[in-house]
Amino acid sequence: MADLREQLRAIIAEIAEIDDLSRITDDANLYKELGVDSMQALEIVLELEKRFNVAIPEAKLKEIKTFGDAVRVAKDAGAPD
Amino acid sequence: MSGTRRTAVITGMGAVCSLGLSPEAIFDAVIAGANGARDVARWHGEGLRITRAAVVDRDAVRAVLGASIGSSAHGNLEMPWASQMGVVAARRALIDAGRDGRLADTPLVASCTIGAPGAAEPPDKRWVAMDPTRPEALARYAEGAVVAYLAEAIHASGPVQCLMSTCAGGNYAMGAALDMVTSGRAKQVLAGGVEEVSTMVFTSFHQLRAVADTCKPFDVDRKGLLFGEGAAFLVVEDEEHAVARGASIRAYLLGVGYANDAHHLVAPDENGAGAATAMRHALYEAGVASAEVGYVNAHGTGTEANDAAELVALKTVFADDAPRLAVSSTKGATGHLMGAAGALEAALTTLALERGLLPQNVGLDTPVPDAGVDLLRDRPRKTTTDIALSAGFGFGGNDAAIILARRRRALPDIVTRPVYVTGMAALAGASFGVPSVLARFHTGATVSESERRVTFAPDAVLGKKGLRHVDRGAILWAAALERDLQSFPKVASERAGAVFGAAYPAYQQVVGIMRDYQSGGALNVNPMRVPFATANCAASWWLIRRGIKGYSNAVGSGECAGLDAIVTAAREIARGRVDELVAGGAEGELDELWQGLASIGWHRTLLTEGMGALALSSEPVGAWARFVDAEHAFERRRPSAAAERAVEGLLARLKLPLVDVLVTPRPLSLEAHANHVHVTTETLGDALGASSALAAVVGVSFLQPPKRTAAQVLVVSDSMDGYATAALFEGV
């Protein structure tokens, strides 16, 4: 099983329809740089919750700005690294 | 051409919501600070974070209603719950206007944007056994069926229209009624909306994280909308007619304004641009200066995005007058009635003007710091204001605002302009594009099983990206427009738009939501289906792709929907609010739907995928035909008789003994009215709500040079639910 970071990168690439995975760096802003919209962000979180069987609290969602933030929030929620 | 406008007034009102069974009872509850939210026991044990909604007491409604059985093509079945609430509100409005509770040939315009999911949900149970494709569910589920049940129960026989313009739909219905009265087409119109709370839709919105157990409009701590249900109807009447019969005038309906965000299917433009444009247009049409407006009944859903965008829009429109502008949303008390919200809020705004008492924002504790308007808090406020604006903004970016006034005032003249046909788009099963569809029609060969579905790959036409979750009907709509109407619009995007019609809008996603639920419970519902489960999604999605911002509307009058959309668009262009519209219908493949409908047996030919649309314009450049006039009728048990009445009414009004060519989707006994009759579904298949638009495409093709074979073409459609539409086109 690929590690959390790679799996999350693949989820984001699929949902936001990003062909070049190398664009999804830790510092990449999901919204401004990768063009993720609010619905896609919600879909990413739901997919993440389902895949890793974790719950992401509402308050944590607002902390997610970059890909790195998303990895951290997933880890904090208990997703296996 | 400009003409003196007739004046529209409101002479009767009825409403049902969680707070009461009349507009007066609801208004009293709102100003007392009541909150209609109740715990919904059947949602317990589902893992939902929220189980509260502003639901209506069913026993109370049934006590008023009495028997609630109505007819359908599948036999006599209990009315959908939304229709039952609608009947109570509609009868109350008619009686309030000094009539008995029967509508007769008075037009009805009803907004319903969700339909009746409850028809597919067994009572008092969860969804386990639910099947949206059972015939008895299909006969009641769609928006058009909800309105048809209501229309039958109040004895409607004249024009009946179902609008599906999402959460702004109530205002679109008020606008349609306004136009019928001010143009002189009707003396009275019953206009409003109905909507029910269902497990399916609640769960979808819950998964979208859009619902809250309390609605806190414009509050720093707002968390989402409070789901609500109910119905509201208003009698919109010609002022002279009302005065002559001694009716009491409750308010003046001065104007309506529309716009389309073209931003996102489920999020408003952050700058509130569409909302601001709709409000500006409404003020302009009413001849009202922004400083004269003393109250705004805001859309105010209590969601983060709506309230922020709406405040920006209010500040944009009212500018220096904004700080003293009294604003409240009544949704904190009533919940959000979706397609019925605009009508309920029109009734509450009328009462606010009548009583000189403005409702407070129930649920507002800490206003957002930079609101910039006077948000009413804690208690109602006395007022002497004469003029109010009521706003509605919906999914897909549908924006509509209306202006109501206590007293009469001089109104600007209205224009009426000719409407030209400048283009068309079509697909019928395997035939893609207008030339291919027309060629297929002229073969005269019966449609075959292998032709039921389109054969092109959507991404080859629409590009590879952005197609995830997109509803099939929306794909067909956009693909055909992409192929046949590349150059639309020729005018600025703010002066153009679309009107979409379907009998089973977005049914693919609707069924998908139910299947999600059945396979894994409420929390398994994929919220990504919601944007493409909304009735207007096909038009909205395409308008976003093209960046077209003038107008968007959706019509759900059963199999007439596509043709009704064309008529609706033509009236809007004639009225001068927009210059160019694409209008028609599209229905995508869904085997389960086809099987369910086949077992009802009303459609006589193969059900197929289809899309048909006309491009209509106020400018004759490139035009070969002109929209002349249209008529509607309704008869639940005999749709063909309704079609005949619509034709006879239209030809009598135009003083035409008969027409050259009559085109109809399904066989009707109308040979006496035309030299030649063509039936389109036998060759093209029956694409439900799109079939009547395909008939319009075939019809206007007879007027096209160089082979023009007719001077006039009459397009006529009946529908399973009793709607009928007839529209006349002539060559230019």
Side-chain angles (χ1 to χ4, degrees):
Chain A
M1 189 166 143
D3 74 352
L4 170 65
R5 186 178 301 271
E6 286 316 307
Q7 287 199 56
L8 192 49
R9 184 173 276 138
I11 290 172
I12 292 171
E14 192 202 332
I15 291 171
E17 300 181 300
I18 298 165
D19 296 331
D20 178 4
L21 265 67
S22 70
R23 286 177 57 213
I24 309 175
T25 60
D26 270 11
D27 296 337
N29 187 299
L30 295 176
Y31 305 98
K32 289 176 189 151
E33 289 168 57
L34 301 177
V36 174
D37 72 22
S38 56
M39 280 296 293
Q40 290 169 338
L42 184 56
E43 189 174 7
I44 290 165
V45 169
L46 285 164
E47 184 57 35
L48 196 158
E49 288 184 333
K50 205 193 264 184
R51 184 88 60 98
F52 300 108
N53 195 24
V54 295
I56 312 278
E58 211 92 349
K60 286 274 178 191
L61 296 183
K62 288 184 180 164
E63 289 179 16
I64 303 177
K65 300 273 190 284
T66 64
F67 175 61
D69 295 338
V71 175
R72 181 175 49 76
V73 167
K75 267 188 206 160
D76 291 351
D81 196 0
Chain B
M1 184 170 85
S2 85
T4 307
R5 173 180 356 181
R6 305 200 62 82
T7 300
V9 297
I10 287 161
T11 54
M13 307 196 294
V16 169
C17 81
S18 56
L19 298 177
L21 300 185
S22 73
E24 292 76 14
I26 296 166
F27 186 84
D28 289 343
V30 173
I31 60 169
N35 173 346
R38 284 169 209 178
D39 187 55
V40 181
R42 70 176 192 272
W43 295 339
H44 289 178
E46 299 270 0
L48 297 167
R49 290 173 297 116
I50 292 156
T51 56
R52 287 168 76 78
V55 292
V56 173
D57 180 349
R58 296 198 176 211
D59 293 337
V61 166
R62 283 176 185 146
V64 177
L65 189 63
S68 61
I69 301 295
S71 60
S72 78
H74 189 65
N76 292 341
L77 295 165
E78 185 176 33
M79 265 189 256
W81 169 232
S83 315
Q84 295 185 30
M85 294 185 285
V87 174
V88 172
R91 279 188 193 150
R92 172 60 158 66
L94 290 169
I95 290 163
D96 188 42
R99 300 175 45 148
D100 65 13
R102 302 165 77 90
L103 193 63
D105 61 359
T106 300
L108 168 68
V109 189
S111 153
C112 176
T113 201
I114 289 173
E121 296 170 8
D124 312 322
K125 294 266 171 59
R126 310 231 185 90
W127 293 6
V128 186
M130 179 189 66
D131 184 356
T133 58
R134 285 193 332 248
E136 60 273 27
L138 276 181
R140 294 184 291 167
Y141 192 109
E143 292 80 352
V146 171
V147 173
Y149 267 96
L150 159 67
E152 180 190 35
I154 57 174
H155 305 277
S157 61
V160 175
Q161 189 178 40
C162 166
L163 295 180
M164 315 184 294
S165 345
T166 63
C167 302
N171 281 350
Y172 278 78
M174 296 299 291
L178 173 75
D179 286 356
M180 281 189 241
V181 169
T182 53
S183 67
R185 291 205 309 277
K187 296 293 180 208
Q188 286 184 325
V189 181
L190 184 65
V194 297
E195 213 76 87
E196 67 182 34
V197 165
S198 63
T199 305
M200 183 198 103
V201 180
F202 180 82
T203 305
S204 316
F205 275 67
H206 177 279
Q207 291 296 87
L208 201 55
R209 304 194 185 206
V211 292
D213 48 15
T214 309
C215 169
K216 299 173 75 65
F218 307 112
D219 195 292
V220 289
D221 195 29
R222 65 188 183 278
K223 290 200 162 63
L225 61 88
L226 169 65
F227 239 71
E229 65 182 1
F233 282 93
L234 295 92
V235 174
V236 180
E237 184 166 355
D238 180 90
E239 184 194 23
E240 270 180 35
H241 187 262
V243 170
R245 70 183 185 93
S248 101
I249 291 172
R250 314 279 309 254
Y252 287 79
L253 178 57
L254 300 184
V256 64
Y258 303 110
N260 179 57
D261 273 2
H263 176 71
H264 193 284
L265 279 177
V266 294
D269 177 352
E270 294 88 347
N271 301 316
T277 303
M279 292 194 271
R280 277 206 188 103
H281 285 172
L283 290 167
Y284 174 80
E285 185 171 305
V288 166
S290 60
E292 294 179 272
V293 177
Y295 171 61
V296 170
N297 186 298
H299 190 55
T301 56
T303 60
E304 182 79 32
N306 175 82
D307 293 7
E310 188 167 9
L311 288 173
V312 175
L314 285 167
K315 283 182 273 194
T316 308
V317 173
F318 291 92
D320 294 347
D321 303 311
R324 48 136 224 101
L325 181 69
V327 175
S328 69
S329 160
T330 40
K331 289 187 178 74
T334 63
H336 188 351
L337 271 60
M338 309 285 163
L344 176 62
E345 286 151 25
L348 295 176
T349 303
T350 295
L351 281 164
L353 291 173
E354 210 171 62
R355 296 194 184 175
L357 200 58
L358 304 179
Q360 70 279 33
N361 283 284
V362 174
L364 172 60
D365 297 317
T366 313
V368 292
D370 51 351
V373 296
D374 181 6
L375 291 170
L376 301 171
R377 282 172 64 194
D378 303 328
R379 63 190 67 82
R381 183 186 295 170
K382 284 190 178 155
T383 181
T384 55
T385 192
D386 274 345
I387 299 179
L389 180 152
S390 181
F393 313 122
F395 272 5
N398 288 179
D399 303 310
I402 59 169
I403 308 288
L404 290 158
R406 182 83 188 97
R407 287 174 235 286
R408 90 182 311 278
R409 54 189 283 141
L411 290 164
D413 284 350
I414 56 174
V415 296
T416 48
R417 310 182 293 180
V419 179
Y420 299 97
V421 179
T422 56
M424 45 192 181
L427 70 84
S431 306
F432 183 38
V434 169
S436 164
V437 169
L438 293 177
R440 180 65 187 83
F441 169 74
H442 287 292
T443 64
T446 306
V447 61
S448 70
E449 182 70 36
S450 65
E451 294 177 287
R452 296 181 81 176
R453 296 169 181 82
V454 301
T455 50
F456 64 85
D459 59 2
V461 182
L462 296 168
K464 292 206 182 306
K465 293 201 176 174
L467 300 184
R468 302 176 75 243
H469 310 300
V470 179
D471 177 71
R472 183 78 173 173
I475 296 262
L476 303 189
W477 174 262
L481 293 176
E482 220 46 57
R483 188 200 174 286
D484 289 334
L485 286 172
Q486 265 296 337
S487 62
F488 180 93
K490 295 185 184 74
V491 296
S493 86
E494 287 73 18
R495 297 292 297 168
V499 186
F500 175 74
Y504 291 91
Y507 219 63
Q508 211 179 31
Q509 296 299 339
V510 167
V511 171
I513 289 171
M514 295 194 176
R515 298 286 180 246
D516 282 357
Y517 187 101
Q518 286 167 331
S519 64
L523 298 183
N524 190 48
V525 172
N526 181 351
M528 302 310 129
R529 296 187 189 278
V530 175
F532 285 100
T534 54
N536 65 339
C537 69
S540 300
W541 183 59
W542 177 70
L543 291 168
I544 291 168
R545 285 174 65 96
R546 289 279 184 95
I548 297 171
K549 298 189 172 186
Y551 181 82
S552 174
N553 200 350
V555 178
S557 316
E559 285 76 2
C560 291
L563 181 59
D564 199 7
I566 291 168
V567 173
T568 301
R571 304 262 196 236
E572 208 60 61
I573 292 171
R575 177 65 187 74
R577 294 195 187 98
V578 279
D579 299 328
E580 265 190 274
L581 293 171
V582 161
E587 304 262 6
E589 178 225 344
L590 190 63
D591 260 339
E592 300 144 292
L593 173 69
W594 286 353
Q595 284 163 21
L597 288 173
S599 71
I600 292 176
W602 187 82
H603 304 86
R604 292 187 203 126
T605 52
L606 273 184
L607 297 178
T608 52
E609 295 194 305
M611 181 281 182
L614 301 183
L616 302 171
S617 173
S618 59
E619 290 298 321
V621 181
W624 71 91
R626 186 174 82 85
F627 167 80
V628 181
D629 201 355
E631 187 56 272
H632 305 265
F634 179 84
E635 189 165 339
R636 181 67 147 140
R637 286 167 192 268
R638 290 195 311 147
S640 58
E644 203 165 322
R645 269 210 319 281
V647 169
E648 283 166 3
L650 180 61
L651 296 185
R653 187 161 73 228
L654 298 171
K655 299 187 173 64
L656 285 172
L658 81 176
V659 294
D660 297 335
V661 170
L662 188 152
V663 183
T664 173
R666 285 159 293 275
L668 291 164
S669 303
L670 296 168
E671 289 75 12
H673 301 291
N675 292 323
H676 303 281
V677 174
H678 297 278
V679 178
T680 54
T681 55
E682 289 167 358
T683 48
L684 301 179
D686 195 330
L688 304 171
S691 61
S692 54
L694 277 163
V697 168
V698 170
V700 298
S701 76
F702 289 115
L703 302 171
Q704 205 167 19
K707 287 196 282 185
R708 175 177 291 173
T709 52
Q712 301 147 333
V713 169
L714 183 62
V715 184
V716 187
S717 179
D718 62 351
S719 85
M720 187 170 86
D721 287 317
Y723 301 95
T725 303
L728 187 75
F729 299 85
E730 67 181 16
V732 294

